[in-house]
Amino acid sequence: MSEKATRAAYGEALAELGAVNEKVVVLDADLSKSTMTVTFKKEFPERFYNMGIAEANMVDVAAGMSTMGLIPFCSTFAMFGAGRVYEQIRNSIAYPHLNVKLCMSHAGVSVGEDGASHQCIEDLALMRVIPGMTVLCPADAKETRKAVFAAAEMEGPVYIRLARLATPVPEEDRPFEIGKANVLRDGKDVAVFATGLMVSEAEKAAELLATEGIGAAVINVHTIKPLDEACVTEYAKKCGKVVTVEEHSVIGGLGEAVASTLLGKVDCKFDRIGIQDQFGTSGKAKAVLEEYGLTAPQIAERIKKLL
């Protein structure tokens, strides 16, 4: 199976989208070679804007562009694009419900050697709490392309979380609809809800569990908000045991979104796998994932403990 980073797929999708939608413009905060918006820049230099290291200005300019009928896509690292400019996103984009797409790369601890200062593990929580914000976290390159096109089609602010680390690209074509989770593997013993890079790890964990006779359903939750509450409830009732897996703090992300959906509605065992109440650390990406218990064998062991 081939591998590709979702940030690379994002750059390719932008260029493809730009060719069919002349309203699309791209803004970047001097990181186009890292966010891969450079791919769009090469194709449409007149519709690309390097705003320099001025992220707050970037999203405010994008807000203004959207009022003129354009569809701005803003990109930088998630730490800056969700953290540093939170107030501008909240007040200049979300409050007036403007049509700006915020696509931030280098999210999560898989950023690796850049360390805790750049490993944004709070972005899903920050964006999820903003009224009217749609929050997407694609699992792979193919899903990233579909997320980009879907975001351009819908009206209103969208946050898309992208990663630096290359991850497996599934051979099959999987459906994508904002707000609709995908059941990748059925099972009756435990329901595993995963997002982003953790989807492929959850699938591998399910394969390991299958060798021990444990049937784990794996659900790809690419849309954190609006959450597919019907799917979450259905599988929680079906399995009676629920595990969430995310490369994000367990506070405010996928785990809490699923937990709040089930609270008072479904009686089930529950575990949240993710970054506990701590910062990231510097190291090789895959070693850092292992440090935080986010590899397939570690996920499988946590699931067995719940069972």
Side-chain angles (χ1 to χ4, degrees):
M1 185 180 293
S2 63
E3 292 191 345
K4 180 183 288 188
T6 54
R7 63 169 176 147
Y10 167 63
E12 294 170 0
L14 271 184
E16 186 181 349
L17 176 63
V20 297
N21 192 333
E22 62 183 16
K23 293 182 179 180
V24 171
V25 293
V26 175
L27 298 83
D28 201 289
D30 209 33
L31 285 169
S32 63
K33 291 183 180 179
S34 295
T35 62
M36 303 305 286
T37 58
V38 67
T39 309
F40 182 93
K41 178 184 178 181
K42 290 176 181 177
E43 295 293 327
F44 309 101
E46 74 285 358
R47 287 152 61 190
F48 177 86
Y49 301 86
N50 180 6
M51 305 305 294
I53 306 172
E55 296 86 356
N57 184 52
M58 175 179 69
V59 299
D60 280 342
V61 169
M65 286 179 160
S66 72
T67 67
M68 304 303 292
L70 297 173
I71 307 175
F73 279 75
C74 290
S75 296
T76 181
F77 289 177
M79 191 67 248
F80 311 139
R84 180 177 292 171
V85 301
Y86 184 81
E87 186 265 330
Q88 284 76 20
I89 291 173
R90 180 189 185 274
N91 289 337
S92 298
I93 294 174
Y95 181 53
H97 200 71
L98 297 180
N99 195 32
V100 178
K101 317 306 171 182
L102 306 157
C103 306
M104 306 303 171
S105 75
H106 291 60
V109 294
S110 60
V111 173
E113 292 89 343
D114 288 353
S117 64
H118 283 53
Q119 293 169 356
C120 190
I121 55 173
E122 309 90 353
D123 56 320
L124 296 180
L126 289 169
M127 294 298 109
R128 178 175 162 245
V129 77
I130 297 177
M133 181 69 73
T134 294
V135 182
L136 307 178
C137 186
D140 54 65
K142 288 183 178 180
E143 193 163 79
T144 299
R145 178 192 175 278
K146 292 182 178 182
V148 168
F149 274 75
E153 284 293 317
M154 70 164 282
E155 184 72 24
V158 180
Y159 180 82
I160 302 180
R161 185 186 221 229
L162 303 164
R164 178 188 189 185
L165 182 66
T167 47
V169 181
E171 295 180 3
E172 72 273 20
D173 186 49
R174 295 172 174 176
F176 182 91
E177 180 183 342
I178 291 177
K180 184 71 173 177
N182 289 341
V183 179
L184 304 181
R185 183 187 186 111
D186 212 347
K188 59 181 176 57
D189 296 322
V190 60
V192 183
F193 296 95
T195 192
L197 272 57
M198 292 297 100
V199 172
S200 62
E201 293 300 318
E203 288 185 281
K204 294 173 189 173
E207 292 174 4
L208 292 173
L209 293 169
T211 64
E212 300 183 38
I214 299 170
V218 178
I219 299 96
N220 172 12
V221 188
H222 51 65
T223 305
I224 307 298
K225 182 186 177 186
L227 188 71
D228 189 346
E229 295 185 354
C231 179
V232 168
T233 303
E234 176 189 349
Y235 271 82
K237 288 180 177 178
K238 176 179 178 179
C239 299
K241 300 173 186 66
V242 171
V243 174
T244 59
V245 191
E246 59 193 314
E247 189 204 357
H248 182 274
S249 171
V250 294
I251 301 171
L254 173 65
E256 288 203 350
V258 171
S260 64
T261 296
L262 298 177
L263 185 63
K265 299 175 185 176
V266 182
D267 183 17
C268 62
K269 288 187 175 181
F270 193 97
D271 192 16
R272 294 176 299 168
I273 299 175
I275 314 301
Q276 301 304 313
D277 190 16
Q278 61 190 126
F279 287 102
T281 188
S282 181
K284 296 291 184 182
K286 293 185 178 179
V288 176
L289 289 174
E290 186 174 7
E291 173 71 17
Y292 291 95
L294 299 176
T295 66
Q298 292 168 308
I299 293 168
E301 286 302 313
R302 279 282 293 272
I303 291 172
K304 285 197 289 185
K305 287 182 181 178
L306 181 69
L307 298 178

